[in-house]
Amino acid sequence: MKFALAMYTVYEEMKRDLDATLGAVREMGYEGIEMYGETLWPASVVKELLAKHGLELCGWHVEWRLLQLDTLENTIRYHAELGNPNIIIPCLGGPWNVGHMPEDNHAATWLRYAEQMNELADRLEMEGMRLGYHTHAHEFHDSFDGITPWNILIEHTKPSVFLELDTGNCLEGAGDPVIALTETAGRLRVVHCKPLDSKQGTEAAIAADGDLNDWPLILQRCKAGGCEWLAIENESRTRGSKLAVAGQDLKSLIGQLREAT
């Protein structure tokens, strides 16, 4: 398994200076990045800078609105030029009301999303790309007569649609990352490794006192399930420099991986 930085962690730094930020990420020891946000640079520029710094692109979080009939082909053209292997839907529903409002949050809505994801996956696979879906807390917390959005996505999306579990978000939604990773073995192309503190929430560090993640077991399940990339994400606002946080979390996760093997 290789280590990537989820660029949401350093989003403001990235927007200010993509070149310098990528250089700093590589110097820390990351092997790749997962991009987040709008396409602020030409694909050729991003591709050139990734090559300059010896970084791989393991995917890009692409908003749902950019995967609709009137936007999809432009999105495909950009990511095909870039050489992006994985287009990942960042979220649907939740407190952001992406795709639907709270009154429409029911099983039929998520079944429709699963069908749309399958259609999107078919189209992307024609271009050599794969579709993924990134989880938040509500996919585990919301329940429709005992069936969660997570359950629906597992059962009704095709196996080639990978489910990008976010470990911290899973815990926040009262889920168990170890169980979730076991349920999706073979569909774990990228896993988001995010700390969650029992008292301070996302003001957390990987493997620090209070982190609720059972990292050795999580990493064992990742490896057994065929995970290719461990994408580190951190939402802390009080631990200092975002780049320093990313570097410390990488060191901690490398240490946890050694313990797990």
Side-chain angles (χ1 to χ4, degrees), residues 14-257:
M14 178 179 71
K15 286 195 297 182
R16 284 195 296 269
D17 192 332
L18 178 62
D19 187 6
T21 302
L22 291 179
V25 168
R26 185 69 185 102
E27 189 173 350
M28 292 174 204
Y30 283 97
E31 298 158 282
I33 63 164
E34 181 188 67
M35 286 292 277
Y36 165 86
E38 301 294 328
T39 52
L40 302 176
W41 311 270
S44 59
V45 170
V46 178
K47 188 172 184 177
E48 179 181 339
L49 289 176
L50 288 170
K52 172 184 175 181
H53 295 293
L55 288 164
E56 295 181 58
L57 181 65
C58 73
W60 194 311
H61 278 207
V62 177
E63 296 293 343
W64 186 239
R65 62 183 172 79
L66 299 176
L67 298 171
Q68 305 308 303
L69 287 176
D70 59 337
T71 55
L72 178 60
E73 294 309 314
N74 282 338
T75 296
I76 287 174
R77 275 194 292 273
Y78 181 91
H79 290 276
E81 181 182 352
L82 177 58
N84 176 24
N86 299 314
I87 286 181
I88 302 154
I89 300 165
C91 70
L92 288 167
W96 310 276
N97 300 324
V98 177
H100 68 275
M101 299 300 288
E103 59 269 23
D104 296 318
N105 190 42
H106 42 68
T109 297
W110 287 93
L111 285 166
R112 184 178 74 249
Y113 287 147
E115 182 179 352
Q116 290 174 295
M117 286 184 206
N118 290 336
E119 293 171 357
L120 274 170
D122 288 341
R123 178 66 186 90
L124 292 176
E125 285 163 19
M126 292 171 62
E127 305 295 333
M129 290 179 273
R130 284 183 61 181
L131 181 71
Y133 180 80
H134 169 261
T135 64
H136 286 84
H138 61 278
E139 285 92 359
F140 298 92
H141 179 269
D142 295 351
S143 178
F144 318 113
D145 296 324
I147 304 298
T148 65
W150 174 253
N151 299 143
I152 291 171
L153 293 177
I154 289 174
E155 182 175 353
H156 294 281
T157 54
K158 56 188 289 188
S160 65
V161 176
F162 68 94
L163 300 175
E164 184 183 63
L165 182 77
D166 183 302
T167 64
N169 289 345
C170 177
L171 288 162
E172 187 180 4
D176 184 333
V178 174
I179 292 174
L181 290 166
T182 303
E183 290 173 330
T184 50
R187 302 178 67 175
L188 301 177
R189 201 162 202 185
V190 185
V191 170
H192 261 211
C193 299
K194 183 162 70 182
L196 186 75
D197 188 89
S198 57
K199 295 180 180 179
Q200 299 182 76
T202 55
E203 294 301 326
I206 285 179
D209 290 344
D211 185 6
L212 294 170
N213 289 277
D214 183 345
W215 290 113
L217 199 49
I218 285 171
L219 294 170
Q220 287 172 13
R221 291 291 187 273
C222 286
K223 184 176 180 180
C227 175
E228 298 173 15
W229 287 95
L230 301 171
I232 293 174
E233 180 185 354
N234 196 299
E235 297 182 11
S236 174
R237 298 179 181 274
T238 64
R239 288 178 57 205
S241 158
K242 292 282 194 174
L243 286 166
V245 167
Q248 183 56 54
D249 278 346
L250 175 61
K251 290 178 183 177
S252 297
L253 194 62
I254 290 173
Q256 292 297 306
L257 184 58

